[in-house]
Amino acid sequence: MNDTIKKFGYPATLVKDYDHWVVLLRPAQVTLGSLIVAAKSDATDFGDLSADHFTELKSVTTEVSSALQHLVSHQKLNWLMLMMVDPHVHFHLIPRYEGSRNWKEQDFADRAWPGPPVLSDAVKLSDDQITDMAAWVKSGFPD
C-alpha cells in the first residue's frame, strides 16, 4: 500500500478492498459517510493509472454510491481529487445533504450545503469511532 493509503489510517479504516482500489473511512468526517477512494498504485497522476484501474473504478463508484445512499440518504456525492498534500491518486468522497444526519447519537451536519464542502470543517473521529463507523459503512457494501 502506498503512503497516501497508510496516511488515511489503513488498515484500521479499510471499508472495501478491490483489486486496484481501496475504500477507506475518512478519519475526519466532513459529512457522515465521508470516504477515501484510493488507487493501489504509486501513480501521482490520474492519467498514469492502468486501464485495469479505470475499468474497475466503474464498479467501485457504483458500489460506493449505492452503499452510501442506503446508509446516509445523500442528495449528492462530491468526488474530490485534490492530491496536493497526499500525492498518490485518491478521491475524497463527501456525501452531501441538506441538514444533518445522526450516527450513534452524534449529529453530522452538512454546514456548507449547498455550496462546496469545507474539508477543514470536519468531525475528527476517535479510534473507537473509526472502528465502529468503518464496520457500519462496510455493512452497506455487497460481500
Side-chain angles (χ1 to χ4, degrees):
M1 297 293 164
N2 64 47
D3 289 341
T4 298
I5 291 170
K6 291 175 188 171
K7 182 182 176 199
F8 284 106
Y10 177 88
T13 57
L14 182 65
V15 170
K16 180 99 184 209
D17 192 359
Y18 295 87
D19 290 337
H20 301 285
W21 297 88
V22 290
V23 177
L24 308 171
L25 181 73
R26 193 173 191 278
Q29 292 283 289
V30 179
T31 58
L32 182 60
S34 294
L35 303 174
I36 300 294
V37 176
K40 292 180 180 178
S41 169
D42 288 325
T44 57
D45 187 279
F46 193 45
D48 289 340
L49 293 176
S50 72
D52 290 339
H53 279 86
F54 288 104
T55 299
E56 187 178 62
L57 189 56
K58 171 59 178 150
S59 298
V60 174
T61 59
T62 299
E63 288 185 9
V64 166
S65 179
S66 177
L68 287 176
Q69 184 60 46
H70 172 73
L71 295 168
V72 179
S73 299
H74 61 272
Q75 291 164 269
K76 298 277 184 187
L77 281 178
N78 290 169
W79 290 80
L80 307 175
M81 182 181 279
L82 304 172
M83 300 183 320
M84 297 302 292
V85 175
D86 307 304
H88 300 98
V89 174
H90 69 286
F91 297 92
H92 293 258
L93 181 55
I94 313 298
R96 304 302 307 279
Y97 44 78
E98 189 171 4
S100 66
R101 302 293 187 267
N102 188 281
W103 177 78
K104 291 199 169 192
E105 300 180 19
Q106 183 173 3
D107 286 328
F108 292 83
D110 188 344
R111 291 181 191 89
W113 177 267
V118 179
L119 298 182
S120 61
D121 188 19
V123 175
K124 290 183 173 62
L125 301 177
S126 70
D127 290 345
D128 288 343
Q129 287 175 312
I130 288 170
T131 299
D132 291 349
M133 191 177 285
W136 174 69
V137 174
K138 277 181 200 178
S139 75
F141 280 78
D143 292 332

